[in-house]
Amino acid sequence: MDREEVEIEGNSEPNQQSSGQISHLALDIGGSLIKLVYFSRNNNNSVASKAGNASSNGNSRTLVVDGQIHFKRFETSKINDCIEFIHSRKLHLGGVQHHEAPTSDKIMIKATGGGACMFADLFKEKLGVFLDKEDEMDCLVAGANFLLKAVHHEAFTYMDGRKEFVQIHHDDLYPYLLVNIGSGVSMLKVDGDGKFERVSGTSVGGGTFWGLGRLLTRCKSFDELLELSHQGNNRVVDMLVGDIYGGTDYSKIGLSATAIASSFGKAISNDKELEDYKPEDIARSLLRMISNNIGQISYLNALRFGLRRIFFGGFFIRGQAYTMDTISVAVKYWSKGEAKAMFLEHEGFLGALGAFLSYEKRSLDDLKVHQSVQLTPTCTSPVGDKKHNPQTGCLNEYESIQCSIYAA
Ligand SMILES: Nc1ncnc2c1ncn2[C@@H]1O[C@H](COP(=O)(O)OP(=O)(O)OP(=O)(O)O)[C@@H](O)[C@H]1O
Ligand SMILES: CC(C)(CO)[C@@H](O)C(=O)NCCC(=O)O
């Protein structure tokens, strides 16, 4: 074996850990949310020889580090809470020394997303660290490739309330379409490691759902809007084919009476104002409109390049059954069953993971992350919304994941 092998496992919260045990904090600062990924070693473990012939040149040395990779998120509008969180847990000391100034105490933190530029001065001022910017699309693709290759139960299909994990073989991964639904939507044709093209995008994305939803329903939080959408009936707001065709299907062009002919079409009625509609019906119709639209555009782009597999990421999805179902139905309907929508367990952390993995490019003294990392989540999440942690003020998808990492 010509590389070090590092195994990372465990599931403890690193609240009070010393800064020496935290390493490789990476950030993805998006239009709506900040995502954090970092590694923490367990207290009782340091790098240790695991097996094989330890040698001074490291060629055949096998090392073990017990620890966890952590995932956190904050709203970008609450960036000061995020900085406070980083400071209180000394996560910022888990960057790497500036390569051009090894003798100084300059610490570089890998960061991606638009905020990596916008908030660089704030991080320098408040934490004394430099943000080392990585390209957002590079990071999204690196994160997606990593998860799809490394995590056994990462990708899954979701249809009619059924979640089915999909086994992806390394040699049969490419090409695929990656659709990242953040505030806006990016669509990337991925052909290999670092080989991709952003083929399309749409400004009608997660920010649209949250922005329009907030205005129309007066919800105070995204979670509240999602919760509301669970209870609503979109047919009260949407104009169905049956509304236009007197209750019958338009079977000649394949449209059933219950298909949506026009999203929000019933709201044209002169008899009703916004307050006459239930907020939950509006929330449901909006979620369906946006999910359906993204599903359709995604399929059309997959068709452009002959791609059968479409992976959806981004925090808009949030493990929501209705969102995933709508996207899946749109892809299935428009592709006549030829293409498949697939979702990712770590949907919102692609960019942050990509930034985390980019530490590999620099010399790391204690941990190098290699593409052949094996990750096993400590918990498999049920479909539905994931945990919200009001105590820390941050929204947690996963506290941490258990994994084995093979160092380069
Ligand atoms: N707690 C939350 N607060 C706000 N938006 C949320 C929340 N949870 C999920 N979302 C949804 O996730 C979207 C943001 O997703 P994501 O974090 O992937 O993108 P981003 O990086 O902020 O955006 P972009 O990549 O376009 O800059 C929001 O627009 C919203 O639809
Ligand atoms: C601008 C980004 C890349 C920022 O993450 C994202 O919000 C996005 O892809 N928006 C869609 C822009 C467009 O292609 O119309």
Side-chain angles (χ1 to χ4, degrees), residues 70-265:
H70 299 265
F71 299 84
K72 300 280 183 194
R73 70 172 191 249
F74 291 84
E75 289 172 27
T76 307
S77 60
K78 295 180 183 153
I79 189 158
N80 285 324
D81 291 355
C82 172
I83 289 175
E84 179 47 37
F85 175 82
I86 292 171
H87 185 257
S88 67
R89 297 182 185 211
K90 298 188 171 71
L91 302 183
H92 56 301
L93 304 179
V96 292
Q97 292 264 304
H98 193 299
H99 64 297
E100 281 162 7
T103 54
S104 83
D105 58 357
K106 282 185 182 169
I107 295 174
M108 305 290 293
I109 303 286
K110 289 284 185 186
T112 190
C117 289
M118 214 158 72
F119 297 113
D121 288 346
L122 190 68
F123 274 79
K124 201 154 70 180
E125 183 197 320
K126 298 252 170 129
L127 297 171
V129 296
F130 292 78
L131 296 187
D132 188 6
K133 192 172 174 355
E134 291 288 327
D135 178 76
E136 184 181 340
M137 300 297 130
D138 286 345
C139 287
L140 281 177
V141 171
N145 281 346
F146 168 83
L147 289 169
L148 287 168
K149 288 184 194 171
V151 184
H152 184 58
H153 275 156
E154 180 63 31
F156 61 92
T157 56
Y158 191 85
M159 186 78 92
D160 302 326
R162 267 206 341 274
K163 177 178 181 175
E164 272 176 28
F165 283 101
V166 182
Q167 230 16 71
I168 312 278
H169 297 286
H170 287 209
D171 49 5
D172 185 32
L173 174 59
Y174 309 112
Y176 67 86
L177 188 75
L178 175 63
V179 179
N180 192 64
I181 317 177
S183 314
V185 186
S186 285
M187 298 179 186
L188 305 112
K189 174 178 178 281
V190 182
D191 290 302
D193 277 334
K195 277 178 64 186
F196 67 90
E197 185 190 349
R198 186 179 188 273
V199 292
S200 195
T202 167
S203 61
V204 181
T208 319
F209 172 62
W210 178 204
L212 267 181
R214 197 184 68 80
L215 290 177
L216 292 171
T217 67
R218 301 188 180 277
C219 275
K220 292 280 177 279
S221 71
F222 183 83
D223 291 53
E224 200 189 325
L225 182 63
L226 270 187
E227 188 55 43
L228 209 58
S229 73
H230 295 162
Q231 302 149 25
N233 177 5
N234 70 296
R235 293 177 186 191
V236 179
V237 181
D238 293 337
M239 188 185 282
L240 308 185
V241 169
D243 295 324
I244 303 172
Y245 273 79
T248 62
D249 298 340
Y250 186 174
S251 39
K252 195 173 169 194
I253 59 167
L255 291 174
S256 71
T258 54
I260 298 173
S262 171
S263 292
F264 279 82

Side-chain angles (χ1 to χ4, degrees), residues 278-290:
K278 287 187 188 161
E280 51 267 43
D281 296 340
I282 289 177
R284 189 141 181 115
S285 177
L286 192 58
L287 184 56
R288 180 127 181 207
M289 178 178 82
I290 288 168

Side-chain angles (χ1 to χ4, degrees), residues 221-362:
S221 71
F222 183 83
D223 291 53
E224 200 189 325
L225 182 63
L226 270 187
E227 188 55 43
L228 209 58
S229 73
H230 295 162
Q231 302 149 25
N233 177 5
N234 70 296
R235 293 177 186 191
V236 179
V237 181
D238 293 337
M239 188 185 282
L240 308 185
V241 169
D243 295 324
I244 303 172
Y245 273 79
T248 62
D249 298 340
Y250 186 174
S251 39
K252 195 173 169 194
I253 59 167
L255 291 174
S256 71
T258 54
I260 298 173
S262 171
S263 292
F264 279 82
K266 282 211 178 98
I268 61 172
S269 163
N270 281 333
D271 307 335
K272 280 189 172 181
E273 298 305 324
L274 180 58
E275 48 280 10
D276 298 318
Y277 292 96
K278 287 187 188 161
E280 51 267 43
D281 296 340
I282 289 177
R284 189 141 181 115
S285 177
L286 192 58
L287 184 56
R288 180 127 181 207
M289 178 178 82
I290 288 168
S291 305
N292 188 47
N293 195 52
I294 293 170
Q296 182 173 8
I297 298 173
S298 302
Y299 166 65
L300 291 174
N301 277 288
L303 183 68
R304 266 175 81 197
F305 299 100
L307 308 172
R308 281 179 306 110
R309 284 198 293 222
I310 311 174
F311 293 102
F312 290 87
F315 259 125
F316 168 70
I317 296 171
R318 277 285 288 274
Q320 287 295 304
Y322 193 61
T323 305
M324 295 191 293
D325 216 89
T326 305
I327 290 173
S328 299
V329 167
V331 169
K332 188 177 175 194
Y333 176 81
W334 290 106
S335 72
K336 298 194 170 67
E338 290 289 304
K340 253 200 179 141
M342 280 177 270
F343 304 93
L344 301 171
E345 284 287 329
H346 297 86
E347 64 210 351
F349 288 101
L350 306 186
L353 260 174
F356 178 82
L357 292 164
S358 72
Y359 274 113
E360 186 190 16
K361 290 179 200 150
R362 294 269 162 77

